[in-house]
Amino acid sequence: MRKLILAAASIAALAGSLAFAGPASAQAPIILKFSHVVATDTPKGKASEKFKELAEKYTGGKVKVEIYPNSTLYKDKEELEALQLGSVQMLAPSNSKFGPLGIREFEVFDLPYILPDLKTLRKVTEGPLGARLLKLLDSKGITGLAYWDNGFKQMSANKKLVTPADYQGVKFRIQSSRVLQAQFKALSALPQVMAFSEVYQALQTGVVDGQENTWSNIYTQKMHEVQKYITETNHGYIGYVVIVNKKFWDDLPADIRDQLTKAMKEATDFNNAQSQKENDDALAEIRKSGKSEIIKLTGEQDEAMRKAMEPVYKDAAGRIGQPLIDEFLKEAKSTTN
């Protein structure tokens, strides 16, 4: 696979050099390949299309954005390497994906219950703390452009998940994140890292018993059709960081870069406005389908879940850094006060 990615990178580099070549090719548009792993009719899918529309409009056609949804170009484990090699220019991976790359600080977003609401989230992602996290990507040849919401996660399985004891021995698909591994181990469940594109079949065939995701992802990937129960926990957050190959971005003419930045800002506002609506609509459709029973926790049951996951914070502090965790908790406290 690495050879294929390297070959693709060489072709992409050649195409890029031709796009910036002399007068004979001066009219050739700059190609920007934007790859992601979710369906087109999700918040991220729609926002990527919005970015394409605005980018091509604001640059007067000087940039052509090619969207590759649903892992049609690269899967989870391949896409970051492909971006670094230059065979794709833009991605929107979840925060969890940067831990394996060596930027463990982004795993703070995976901590259970650390972001109580969207107001707290905005304070982080739109403030100096969010900007500081994006800057960490520079050393990996990546430029961070924006944070896109997906929403808060729910638990699903083929058995009822009400108390922490119900999770014991349940095989859960997770994203590649040490924090998420610790989360399910704290519940005595069995976490299994798996690409997003493989989850439906794994649930259908019993390779895994359950998973955690937002309502929009559960609905658009039809996970509710192969899961008997979904527990409304809102225990974690899934968000994306829109990133671009740093060399590609830095080499763009300044006016083009400014126009793309404007397009990204508007696409970000669009995504974040859409996210809650998409999740609300997806929940309504799942209820209407009758294929999954939706379980609502009582206050006591919710508190038991929170208490069961407290050890995750201690486990994560050594990798993420306690000061960063404390900054997140401080933002949450100042928002709710």
Side-chain angles (χ1 to χ4, degrees):
M1 178 54 69
R2 181 174 174 84
K3 289 181 179 179
L4 290 173
I5 293 175
L6 286 168
S10 299
I11 294 169
L14 176 61
S17 64
L18 290 174
F20 286 109
S25 59
Q27 301 305 310
I30 298 166
I31 304 299
L32 192 162
K33 294 182 180 179
F34 188 164
S35 172
H36 65 78
V37 302
V38 299
T40 302
D41 56 344
T42 57
K44 177 162 67 173
K46 291 180 179 179
S48 63
E49 294 292 341
K50 174 63 71 172
F51 172 72
K52 170 183 168 66
E53 173 196 330
L54 295 172
E56 293 177 355
K57 173 185 173 183
Y58 292 152
T59 63
K62 292 177 182 177
V63 172
K64 181 182 178 185
V65 180
E66 298 177 356
I67 307 291
Y68 296 89
N70 256 335
S71 304
T72 52
L73 196 58
Y74 297 106
K75 292 185 179 181
D76 286 355
K77 293 180 180 179
E78 306 163 356
E79 61 176 12
L80 278 170
E81 184 179 20
L83 181 92
Q84 289 175 301
L85 291 170
S87 51
V88 63
Q89 287 72 49
M90 186 173 284
L91 305 172
S94 62
N95 295 304
S96 304
K97 304 292 170 52
F98 298 107
L101 197 64
I103 312 295
R104 297 170 179 171
E105 289 86 349
F106 280 91
E107 289 187 8
V108 70
F109 286 98
D110 290 335
L111 282 168
Y113 303 107
I114 197 165
L115 293 165
D117 50 43
L118 288 174
K119 188 176 179 183
T120 304
L121 174 68
R122 290 284 173 271
K123 283 191 69 177
V124 171
T125 57
E126 295 178 2
L129 180 51
R132 199 170 82 232
L133 287 171
L134 291 182
K135 197 67 182 168
L136 296 175
L137 299 170
D138 287 359
S139 64
K140 303 296 181 181
I142 296 169
T143 296
L145 298 180
Y147 293 92
W148 284 4
D149 288 352
N150 186 328
F152 290 95
K153 293 186 287 187
Q154 322 303 331
M155 298 284 199
S156 75
N158 284 321
K159 63 175 288 190
K160 289 187 177 182
L161 301 173
V162 179
T163 70
D166 295 330
Y167 289 78
Q168 185 170 356
V170 179
K171 292 179 291 183
F172 267 88
R173 176 268 173 177
I174 64 166
Q175 299 181 72
S176 181
S177 164
R178 291 280 296 277
V179 171
L180 297 180
Q181 284 182 332
Q183 171 184 285
F184 283 104
K185 286 181 178 178
L187 295 168
S188 298
L190 305 173
Q192 184 171 331
V193 175
M194 183 179 295
F196 183 75
S197 59
E198 299 169 7
V199 178
Y200 175 86
Q201 186 175 6
L203 293 170
Q204 186 181 45
T205 57
V207 172
V208 292
D209 305 311
Q211 60 83 51
E212 56 170 7
N213 239 304
T214 61
W215 291 117
S216 63
N217 278 354
I218 291 170
Y219 179 68
T220 58
Q221 295 294 318
K222 303 184 188 301
M223 295 177 194
H224 63 294
E225 296 182 1
V226 288
Q227 295 277 264
K228 292 180 182 177
Y229 304 99
I230 305 174
T231 305
E232 192 170 3
T233 52
N234 292 308
H235 65 282
Y237 166 75
I238 295 182
Y240 308 112
V241 184
V242 186
I243 58 176
V244 67
N245 176 281
K246 190 174 189 303
K247 186 178 187 311
F248 171 84
W249 188 252
D250 291 346
D251 286 348
L252 289 172
D255 62 324
I256 295 291
R257 193 164 53 243
D258 288 346
Q259 290 153 354
L260 293 180
T261 298
K262 179 183 177 184
M264 180 55 64
K265 171 69 171 64
E266 293 182 25
T268 298
D269 292 342
F270 172 84
N271 176 87
N272 293 345
Q274 279 284 110
S275 177
Q276 188 60 52
K277 180 182 183 302
E278 295 281 331
N279 281 299
D280 290 344
D281 290 348
L283 172 56
E285 290 298 323
I286 292 170
R287 285 190 195 280
K288 191 163 67 174
S289 76
K291 294 183 177 180
S292 286
E293 180 183 336
I294 296 172
I295 300 165
K296 182 89 172 172
L297 297 179
T298 66
E300 287 183 0
Q301 290 165 344
D302 179 72
E303 186 57 38
M305 285 294 294
R306 291 172 183 269
K307 188 171 181 59
M309 293 192 194
E310 284 177 359
V312 182
Y313 281 70
K314 184 176 180 181
D315 179 85
R319 290 190 319 280
I320 298 172
Q322 189 63 48
L324 179 60
I325 294 173
D326 289 342
E327 282 189 76
F328 266 66
L329 293 173
K330 182 180 177 182
E331 292 289 5
K333 187 176 181 181
S334 65
T335 303
T336 54
N337 283 348

